[in-house]
Amino acid sequence: MIDSGFETKSLRMELLLLVTFQAPACDIDRIMEAVVAIAPLTMSKYDSNAYQSAHGIERYRALEGAAAGAETELRRRHGTVEVSFELPDDQALAARIVEAIFQVHTYQEPVIRIQPILASRSKGLDDRSNPNRWWNTTGDWNKAAPVKEDA
């Protein structure tokens, strides 16, 4: 296992923390506002960097002691997504972020995971002539492709 960062000509691989949580899609903006109020999630010249999965189905059954009370049927909650973002390798910061997610999350037991990772960070080299960059392709990066929502 690689336990330290390294560099290539174009980028640095840095030790970071990957934070992942699950929530109903309608709650994500509120949760991410709480996160970004603590850590701007900056990557080079961009902030608020996070990834949100497509809608999925969460499965669970409430047991004795759950706020909903014990249930016999398995629940399936449609429209649940997973969000992930990177933080500096700082346990105190991670603790503040996890507490913020917990406080604004709608679940009694939110699913929050933290993993150490190596993540790329561009060195910001001048690569204007790179034919693979969005500014050198025929696509219009300012026009987002339509997002297909699950029904």
Side-chain angles (χ1 to χ4, degrees):
M1 178 68 173
I2 299 174
D3 60 359
S4 64
F6 60 89
E7 294 191 23
T8 70
K9 174 185 171 190
S10 303
L11 53 85
R12 293 180 315 278
M13 296 300 293
E14 296 182 359
L15 284 169
L16 298 171
L17 298 176
L18 178 66
V19 178
T20 305
F21 69 90
Q22 297 170 0
C26 59
D27 292 344
I28 298 305
D29 286 343
R30 184 183 72 255
I31 294 170
M32 290 306 296
E33 284 174 13
V35 168
V36 172
I38 296 169
L41 305 182
T42 303
M43 184 184 296
S44 183
K45 303 207 183 306
Y46 302 86
D47 70 1
S48 301
N49 287 282
Y51 172 80
Q52 179 176 325
S53 72
H55 291 207
I57 302 170
E58 183 178 22
R59 301 165 46 95
Y60 66 95
R61 179 174 44 231
L63 300 175
E64 191 63 42
E71 298 177 349
T72 57
E73 298 295 318
L74 182 69
R75 285 192 186 199
R76 290 170 181 82
R77 179 175 295 177
H78 294 260
T80 300
V81 298
E82 190 165 84
V83 174
S84 61
F85 54 87
E86 298 162 1
L87 293 175
D89 187 10
D90 178 335
Q91 187 170 349
L93 176 61
R96 291 177 57 212
I97 295 293
V98 168
E99 184 63 22
I101 293 170
F102 184 85
Q103 290 301 320
V104 298
H105 206 292
T106 55
Y107 292 1
Q108 179 180 8
E109 187 68 42
V111 176
I112 305 169
R113 298 182 181 97
I114 298 180
Q115 299 170 294
I117 61 167
L118 284 179
S120 63
R121 293 297 182 263
S122 171
K123 291 183 178 178
L125 303 177
D126 181 2
D127 62 350
R128 285 180 279 187
S129 63
N130 184 329
N132 299 305
R133 298 296 181 246
W134 56 261
W135 52 83
N136 290 327
T137 64
T138 57
D140 184 352
W141 66 275
N142 280 317
K143 293 182 181 176
V147 176
K148 294 182 180 180
E149 299 288 332
D150 290 342

